[in-house]
Amino acid sequence: MAMHDDLTAELRSAAWRKASKSGPQGDNCIEVAPLSGGRVGVRDTEAPGQAPFVVSAAVWDAFLDGAKRGEFDF
């Protein structure tokens, strides 16, 4: 089985979750799922059938750090 096939299978069975503060409707949110090798899958809740982004642990950690420091606040 090719690496791409392994990732596809892993994404299909991933434990997707969204932020608890996203509300009961879950509109305009992203979902994340932990993957092997420290990677993280990221997808749009409104389009779960679209291919998700997969980022490395380092990229995810940098994103979280920036979010905690307010880099993305408007």
Side-chain angles (χ1 to χ4, degrees), residues 21-72:
K21 295 186 181 208
S22 66
Q25 273 31 42
D27 298 337
N28 300 319
C29 297
I30 62 167
E31 293 177 304
V32 298
L35 302 171
S36 63
R39 298 174 298 177
V40 176
V42 181
R43 71 180 183 184
D44 184 343
T45 57
E46 294 180 345
Q50 287 184 349
F53 292 100
V54 176
V55 297
S56 69
V59 169
W60 184 248
D61 289 344
F63 168 74
L64 290 180
D65 183 55
K68 288 175 185 175
R69 290 187 288 120
E71 285 183 25
F72 312 113

Side-chain angles (χ1 to χ4, degrees), residues 5-38:
D5 294 337
D6 290 343
L7 179 58
T8 299
E10 186 175 5
L11 288 167
R12 211 175 290 129
S13 64
W16 294 96
R17 67 181 191 276
K18 62 182 177 177
S20 59
K21 295 186 181 208
S22 66
Q25 273 31 42
D27 298 337
N28 300 319
C29 297
I30 62 167
E31 293 177 304
V32 298
L35 302 171
S36 63

